[in-house]
Amino acid sequence: FTSTRESIIKYTVPYGQPCHLISLTSPNLLMDFFKKELLSEPWRKTAKSGWNEEELLQFRKEIMAYEGPESTDIKFFNVLLLGQVSAGKSSIINTIETAFRGDEMVTNKAVAGGADKSKSLTKELRRYNMREGNVQFWDTMGLEVESEGLDIRKVEMIMDGKVKNNATLEGTLDQEFVREAPKIKDKMHCLIFAVHSRNFAALDENVLGKLKKIRSAANKRDIPCLVVCTAVDLVCAHVEKDASKVFYSQDIQKMMTMVSERSGFTLNMVFPQRNYVNETVTQLNINFLAMLLFKQIVKVSRDTCERLIDDESDSD
């Protein structure tokens, strides 16, 4: 943006809308324009809305209380991360880990980013433990066009717990990394589809088709799927400055509605996320948004474990 006494401001709507030219007579009017963008009431209500350290601590206690069902060998909930290339899957892991640990510095446990944004950096199935949170995140290759990237048959095997940690996902699976008789503790308990908030509108139809087929396979296994829209700070200038404004942003609400309609997921299964990308020091409101997502992940994962145990008991 530029601001002069008589300035013409070009405002580019994210996610592919046309540009609008807005004539403003002073920088103050520019700020008023952005203030008017925010809704007076949040478009999504959350159980916690204080965005403070006290509620962050309460989040951590509640998440740590979620454990595998009693009398089982389930120590960790398995969460599989899928999504378009460069959507920020590894950054989701790092951001949630950072928020949950409550450290001052941002962690980089999962390797994130790459020079070639069109190709997946991750080539293996990688496990990342969050021991205090009783969760294991499983990172994968990005979903590329039909003939490239992670194929659906391998995803189904991962969901069923048949693929071991560090298995190379390119080409034919090495039998050394194939588990013949997986248990409930080996299966996936939740799937996350990571999509980039600004790029999803232009997502290749073949990749979108893969996502829908994987979701169908997950539904057959009663595995819950969540869509996480990353980089929401690139959609709204307010959220770039303050992540606590995310549920008051009309731009983010419109973007998430578009993702819901195009992907086929109901809106309550689509979540906004701002990852740590450039930051090295943590921010309260980024942590808070990550913990809202993390609690939902842990809750649905435990529900899946209980359902799988019930199904196993019924079949005995």
Side-chain angles (χ1 to χ4, degrees), residues 13-17 39 42-46 51 193 195-201 208 226-236 239 243 245-274 289 292-293 296:
V13 180
Y15 57 88
Q17 298 288 332
L39 300 167
W43 52 264
R44 174 176 291 176
K45 303 289 186 181
T46 57
W51 299 80
F193 292 106
V195 301
H196 195 284
S197 295
R198 290 194 67 176
N199 299 342
F200 185 78
L208 185 61
L226 310 178
V227 176
V228 176
C229 300
T230 63
V232 292
D233 49 312
L234 301 182
V235 171
C236 177
V239 176
K245 306 301 183 186
V246 65
F247 297 115
Y248 291 87
S249 168
Q250 295 184 64
D251 282 337
I252 290 177
Q253 182 186 27
K254 291 174 183 177
M255 177 275 298
M256 290 186 57
T257 300
M258 179 272 295
V259 170
S260 170
E261 292 174 350
R262 191 162 185 234
S263 67
F265 283 81
T266 57
L267 191 56
N268 64 353
M269 301 302 285
V270 182
F271 294 84
Q273 172 71 6
R274 178 175 177 180
L289 185 60
L292 284 170
L293 171 63
Q296 182 69 16

Side-chain angles (χ1 to χ4, degrees), residues 65-70 77 189 297-308:
Y66 281 99
E67 297 179 345
E70 296 180 3
F77 303 124
H189 308 130
I297 290 170
V298 174
K299 180 183 182 301
V300 300
S301 296
R302 180 182 167 83
D303 291 345
T304 302
C305 290
E306 292 177 340
R307 186 165 53 249
L308 289 172

Side-chain angles (χ1 to χ4, degrees), residues 71-302:
S71 303
T72 70
D73 58 356
I74 301 172
K75 295 181 179 179
F76 298 100
F77 303 124
N78 294 317
V79 179
L80 180 60
L81 277 161
L82 302 163
Q84 64 187 116
V85 175
S86 297
K89 299 187 303 299
S90 299
S91 293
I92 290 174
I93 297 172
N94 290 334
T95 302
I96 290 177
E97 171 87 0
T98 297
F100 186 74
R101 288 172 57 179
D103 294 340
E104 182 181 351
M105 305 302 292
V106 175
T107 186
N108 288 292
K109 175 182 285 189
V111 179
D116 187 352
K117 298 297 184 182
S118 66
K119 298 293 181 182
S120 180
L121 179 66
T122 305
K123 301 297 182 183
E124 301 85 27
L125 179 65
R126 295 179 180 173
R127 180 183 64 206
Y128 297 96
N129 287 338
M130 290 186 58
R131 297 189 180 280
E132 291 183 343
N134 304 316
V135 167
Q136 293 181 146
F137 285 105
W138 297 80
D139 199 5
T140 61
M141 296 174 64
L143 298 177
E144 300 177 36
V145 295
E146 195 66 37
S147 59
E148 301 179 66
L150 189 61
D151 69 70
I152 294 172
R153 177 56 190 148
K154 287 193 184 79
V155 176
E156 291 178 326
M157 292 180 67
I158 294 170
M159 285 192 280
D160 292 335
K162 294 181 178 180
V163 183
K164 298 179 182 179
N165 185 39
N166 292 324
T168 299
L169 299 176
E170 287 186 312
T172 304
L173 281 173
D174 188 331
Q175 287 303 303
E176 178 186 353
F177 290 93
V178 176
R179 186 180 290 110
E180 296 298 335
K183 300 179 180 180
I184 292 176
K185 69 181 181 68
D186 303 312
K187 298 181 179 182
M188 293 299 133
H189 308 130
C190 175
L191 263 64
I192 292 177
F193 292 106
V195 301
H196 195 284
S197 295
R198 290 194 67 176
N199 299 342
F200 185 78
L203 185 66
D204 186 280
E205 287 295 332
N206 288 324
V207 177
L208 185 61
K210 275 188 177 182
L211 185 153
K212 291 180 177 180
K213 289 178 182 178
I214 292 169
R215 183 194 180 193
S216 177
N219 287 344
K220 291 177 182 178
R221 293 162 171 80
D222 284 332
I223 303 174
C225 301
L226 310 178
V227 176
V228 176
C229 300
T230 63
V232 292
D233 49 312
L234 301 182
V235 171
C236 177
H238 288 292
V239 176
E240 183 181 14
K241 294 180 179 179
D242 181 359
S244 71
K245 306 301 183 186
V246 65
F247 297 115
Y248 291 87
S249 168
Q250 295 184 64
D251 282 337
I252 290 177
Q253 182 186 27
K254 291 174 183 177
M255 177 275 298
M256 290 186 57
T257 300
M258 179 272 295
V259 170
S260 170
E261 292 174 350
R262 191 162 185 234
S263 67
F265 283 81
T266 57
L267 191 56
N268 64 353
M269 301 302 285
V270 182
F271 294 84
Q273 172 71 6
R274 178 175 177 180
N275 287 332
Y276 286 112
V277 178
N278 300 318
E279 299 85 358
T280 57
V281 179
T282 59
Q283 296 180 25
L284 171 72
N285 292 335
I286 295 179
N287 283 354
F288 197 95
L289 185 60
M291 293 294 274
L292 284 170
L293 171 63
F294 191 33
K295 184 176 180 182
Q296 182 69 16
I297 290 170
V298 174
K299 180 183 182 301
V300 300
S301 296
R302 180 182 167 83

